[in-house]
Amino acid sequence: MTNSDSQTAPVLQTLPGDEVRQIMWRFAERFDLQMAVQSARGVARGPVARLVAAGERNNHEWTEAKNELLAAFDAAGLTAAFMEPELGGFIAGPKNLAVALIAFELGWVDGGAATCSLAGNLALSPIHERGTDEQRTAYMSRCVPSPANSDGPQRGAFCLTEPLPYVGVDTGVLGGKIRVAAWEDGQEPVLQVEKRGRFITNMDFASFVVAAVDADDDRIKGSCMVILEETDPGTYDRGAPTQKLVHQLSSTCDPVFNLEVPANRIVGGYDIVDGVIVPRFSHGQVIEAVFQRTRVTVGAMSAAKLLSAVEPIIRYQRTRFRGGDSTPGTPRHDLGLQMKEDSLQRLVDVWATGEAAASLVFAAARLFDRYDPLEEQKNQTLTAQGIRGARAQFRTLRKMQTRALEYLELIESAGHGADDERLSALEGDPLIQFLVQDSLAQVLCPACKLWNTGYGANMMREAVSLMGGYGVTEDCPGFLPQKWVDAQLEATYEGPEAVQRRQLSITMTNALFLAQFRGWIRELSAMPNGPAMGAGTLAAAMELWDWSLQYLQGTLDADGHKLYRDQRHGVTFPMTDALCWLLASHQMVLDVTELSNKGEQHPVVASGLPGTLQFMRDLCHVQAARAAGEVGRICAELVYGYEGQAAEGSRYGATPDESFDRLRLHLDRSLAGSRLAKDRAATALSRVMIPEALDYPA
Amino acid sequence: MNQGFHIAVCGSLVPDPLQTLEPIAGPQGPALKNEMMLPAVLDPWASHALYEAAHLARQDGESRIWLVSIGPRARLQQLMMSIAQKAVFELVACDGPAGGFTDAAEVARVLADTVAAIPELDPQRLLLFGGCASASRDAGATLQMTGERLGITEQFLNVDELTVQEGVLRIKERIEGGRYLVSACDGPPAVVGWATGMLPEPPNNPQIGMQNMRSIMPALQRAKSVTLEAPELTFESVTVPQQRRDTRIVKDTPTDEIAAELVQWLREDS
């Protein structure tokens, strides 16, 4: 290190502890969540880690040893965490942050175990989100470990293998079909359900399945999700285990069902209209509500992987030359590979990515905790107004977009002559609040799934590489190679990367989202500690992205086609990637700001706060610079790469005017100091105190 | 008629055993580097005492358990996020130092005063539980002195098992030679300093935790501030025990030979 700041700045003393995380991720006041974290950690670093260390991942079968995990989840309260208190749970209110934290803790050790724990929630989610009251009470109470369920809790599986929203993938032969098997006058219709699933989690032990099916009968309309039970008459074949190379601590099979079930198993119920069974929710409506939330938890697993890699890598680097000819007290012995700048700086990149990923995913989870009651209020309000059905709701809400924008403008000018009465009125309108939060949810959810898992997998490769040859052995501390391949699955299930990009390419152009995005730029530019965190760099990158999006939306390619349009993935998808970098970095800045604001008041955190804050700000700066670099490259390629021409009515000329060059230059210059931050962070990594050993077996 | 025991478990936090412990000279004497920031656990010996207390209390359904802890309030609060999930108890917290560089007699004084001040505790039904030793201030004498200050003369140390038969306590204490001393005690009050006990660590159960937190959070708010002053106590030097590992694998060695070798090794080391 050559800069004097590196020698004098306060240094990180220990790895950030629970108290620091509770402040950053905003659950310092939530004892229920803190206990859920400790509980999940006990399972992850106990039974789960022992299974992985014992090589239980090395087979595809659902073994007795793996099955014991289910009891461990039950005993630790993880199974009940998703349930309402009146049904045996212990967390009141929305549970998105709780579930994300549990996923994070389990994913810290093994993503498959996390998936195994969460798949039960996934099966219950359609019932929770769209089921009738009877369905919700029946199935959720059966899945709670309690004395009332003397044979043990039931477990479910979620069986989709169907066209996903935004993709249009036709999986043909695997599609489920539903027909009327019997329908006597005045009686509940009996349905024949045929379904083949692929890659279905929990299938080895699920006693019920929530399956997506299409109507194959004139007497049933559209598609729906239907609940199948093990005891229903017909075939309930769990199928062969999937030959996965990843997530082997979760059960995955390709099941086959051919069952007769009463029509009241349709999730959300049905109406009879002109002699036709009309499900109240199509399968698309159900899974949209489900995946909107469950994708967030997947992003939590990948974030945990990256942060969990830090300690084993530091230990490996420091001890690399011990036991050989090195002498205690020499840099070679004490620092090992940490004598080398490259080793340290690459680890800084891994850590910064993990921090940003965690910030993004927990921000999304908290957002959904705010969103859930608003969605409920929205549904009640619209129903009270006689507005039913997805399309009618959509039309109504669309008309309110202008008022929602007005609300955002009034917030910006609050206290500066804004119409406070009007602001207050709009603030109290649940539909306006829903629209605003919805515009964020539709961006943050796919963004954290896409960036955390996709770029996270890339950075896990980097983490593995930092362990040298050890990184590709079974006894690599921290199970890093397993985590690397697991991250690839996390990038794929619950909608692969293309699905997330496709959704983002639409939702990120929502005027409500963009209005908030521009507000963030102003906030970042005015932050008191902004320069230390690279907030100015981030603001400059956001401005460039915003300008580029508008340019691309108003420009035609050489063939006269709009550049930014539905199927032009070469344009839209890179812009989604660029946005994810910005969102992750932005949330990281907000989390470090929270630590800065609240850390001093916490006696434990305060004792090491200067060093912790300095390090976290430096990581922020590193990440902001990295994000800015990505955004600059992507935007320059797209803006200049197509040699576009102005669309009719566009304010842009055939080539980008000097605005782009000005913004790009501003961005480049805003990187000043970012490498010094990286130097400081690297120095901190060579000095930070770590435990003597990892707290789980390897 | 057995109305249940009143079990006061004395125990507080210690740094997680996996952490690097580096003694430093602080303004108030020796301390551990970054001690405030190191993850903490309930002292392992005290943990055994707590789990055994919970086991005993479950058997009669009438007993009550208080966990009496001296430690920095904020750190005790964090500790409770896991400990409160393992057993039903009421917390009695004292806001003070939890480090290893305190005088056992001072700690005993504060613990005894605190136990005696628990409003609903019946001294005639009191079982004073704790670790026979501690991972931080391992004088091995704190619990005995606490008991003496409370006037309890029936004291059992290095206990691995306590059963109750018709109101009589049957207690197994570790003694030399890997053997147990089995005692019968007519009943409380008694001091029981636990070794490792016989019970596994209970799993975390957030539902128990949520139930406990209703009383734990107010108890933390009420925690009185205590100082552990011992002006006559000085530390000449503080070091971490040296690690030494000489591994040999020799099959079928007689136990006497192993013992003799250990004795010789200890003599050489001293």
Side-chain angles (χ1 to χ4, degrees), chain A residues 13-14 18-19 22 31-32 34-35 38-39 75-77 88-90 603-604 607-608 689-692 694-695, chain B residues 18-20 22 33-34 36-38 74-75 77-78 81-82 84-85 203-207 209-210 213 217 243:
Chain A
Q13 293 173 30
T14 61
D18 280 325
E19 293 89 348
Q22 288 158 11
F31 307 125
D32 49 351
Q34 292 177 29
M35 280 192 281
Q38 295 299 330
S39 206
F90 62 96
V604 175
S607 65
M689 197 167 95
I690 62 166
E692 295 289 316
L694 206 58
D695 62 354
Chain B
L18 292 173
Q19 298 300 316
T20 303
E22 191 178 329
K33 187 178 178 185
N34 300 326
M36 196 65 172
M37 297 156 67
L38 295 176
R75 305 202 71 207
Q77 180 175 319
Q78 187 57 39
M81 295 308 147
S82 55
Q85 300 189 49
N204 286 318
N205 183 334
Q207 273 155 331
M210 291 300 284
M213 289 311 284
M217 287 314 292
Q243 288 185 14

Side-chain angles (χ1 to χ4, degrees), chain B residues 126-139:
Chain B
L126 172 63
L127 291 178
L128 186 72
F129 274 26
C132 65
S134 158
S136 65
R137 39 190 163 217
D138 192 8

Side-chain angles (χ1 to χ4, degrees), chain A residues 649-676:
Chain A
S650 166
R651 61 192 171 96
Y652 299 103
T655 54
D657 61 19
E658 61 184 20
S659 300
F660 183 86
D661 298 341
R662 180 178 51 77
L663 289 169
R664 183 75 205 261
L665 182 63
H666 176 55
L667 170 64
D668 289 347
R669 287 182 173 168
S670 74
L671 293 169
S674 61
R675 281 277 159 176
L676 292 176

Side-chain angles (χ1 to χ4, degrees), chain A residues 216-236:
Chain A
D216 187 28
D217 191 314
D218 292 342
R219 290 169 292 174
I220 307 174
K221 186 177 178 186
S223 68
C224 65
M225 297 211 74
V226 64
I227 304 166
L228 312 175
E229 293 189 10
E230 190 180 8
T231 51
D232 289 329
T235 303
Y236 187 97

Side-chain angles (χ1 to χ4, degrees), chain A residues 21-328:
Chain A
R21 295 310 189 188
Q22 288 158 11
I23 293 173
M24 290 179 72
W25 301 336
R26 321 293 206 284
F27 64 106
E29 308 300 324
R30 295 282 305 272
F31 307 125
D32 49 351
L33 301 191
Q34 292 177 29
M35 280 192 281
V37 165
Q38 295 299 330
S39 206
R41 186 176 299 169
V43 176
R45 302 185 196 192
V48 171
R50 286 196 291 274
L51 279 185
V52 181
E56 202 61 25
R57 285 179 56 123
N58 297 340
N59 66 66
H60 304 296
E61 307 297 324
W62 188 249
T63 62
E64 273 303 311
K66 292 181 187 178
N67 205 50
E68 284 171 15
L69 276 186
L70 301 176
F73 295 148
D74 294 345
L78 305 186
T79 310
F82 187 67
M83 314 299 178
E84 298 302 325
E86 58 269 25
L87 295 175
F90 62 96
I91 298 172
K95 294 163 189 62
N96 301 285
L97 181 56
V99 174
L101 287 164
I102 290 171
F104 182 87
E105 285 299 332
L106 293 172
W108 186 277
V109 176
D110 188 82
T115 298
C116 180
S117 164
L118 298 170
N121 300 346
L122 183 62
L124 286 171
S125 286
I127 300 169
H128 183 262
E129 298 302 327
R130 295 288 181 259
T132 62
D133 289 344
E134 292 78 13
Q135 289 168 345
R136 207 173 290 134
T137 304
Y139 287 95
M140 296 195 79
S141 56
R142 282 183 215 169
C143 292
V144 178
S146 75
N149 295 318
S150 53
D151 294 335
Q154 287 195 1
R155 304 184 201 278
F158 179 80
C159 188
L160 181 64
T161 325
E162 282 282 312
L164 290 162
Y166 296 105
V167 194
V169 178
D170 183 1
T171 49
V173 296
L174 295 173
K177 299 293 179 198
I178 188 167
R179 302 179 196 92
V180 174
W183 192 351
E184 292 177 19
D185 277 352
Q187 300 292 311
E188 182 94 71
V190 176
L191 307 174
Q192 184 75 34
V193 179
E194 283 178 40
K195 175 78 181 176
R196 296 179 60 151
R198 192 163 63 87
F199 224 88
I200 305 305
T201 307
N202 277 9
M203 242 359 277
D204 277 294
F205 46 81
S207 54
F208 70 94
V209 172
V210 184
V213 285
D214 255 332
D216 187 28
D217 191 314
D218 292 342
R219 290 169 292 174
I220 307 174
K221 186 177 178 186
S223 68
C224 65
M225 297 211 74
V226 64
I227 304 166
L228 312 175
E229 293 189 10
E230 190 180 8
T231 51
D232 289 329
T235 303
Y236 187 97
D237 182 349
R238 298 178 186 278
T242 308
Q243 308 289 298
K244 289 179 299 184
L245 293 172
V246 295
H247 277 216
Q248 291 94 339
L249 293 192
S250 70
S251 146
T252 312
C253 302
D254 296 348
V256 180
F257 307 104
N258 191 351
L259 298 163
E260 280 189 8
V261 301
N264 62 18
R265 298 276 191 78
I266 293 173
V267 173
Y270 63 94
D271 297 304
I272 306 289
V273 180
D274 299 330
V276 173
I277 297 170
V278 183
R280 291 188 188 130
F281 298 102
S282 71
H283 89 284
Q285 288 168 322
V286 176
I287 62 176
E288 197 176 327
V290 170
F291 280 178
Q292 189 157 292
R293 290 158 178 83
T294 55
R295 279 178 292 173
V296 173
T297 51
V298 181
M301 293 181 211
S302 304
K305 286 176 171 55
L306 290 162
L307 291 177
S308 76
V310 171
E311 184 193 321
I313 292 174
I314 293 177
R315 186 173 295 106
Y316 167 77
Q317 290 177 335
R318 287 186 188 166
T319 58
R320 179 66 181 83
F321 302 125
R322 291 181 199 172
D325 293 337
S326 68
T327 311

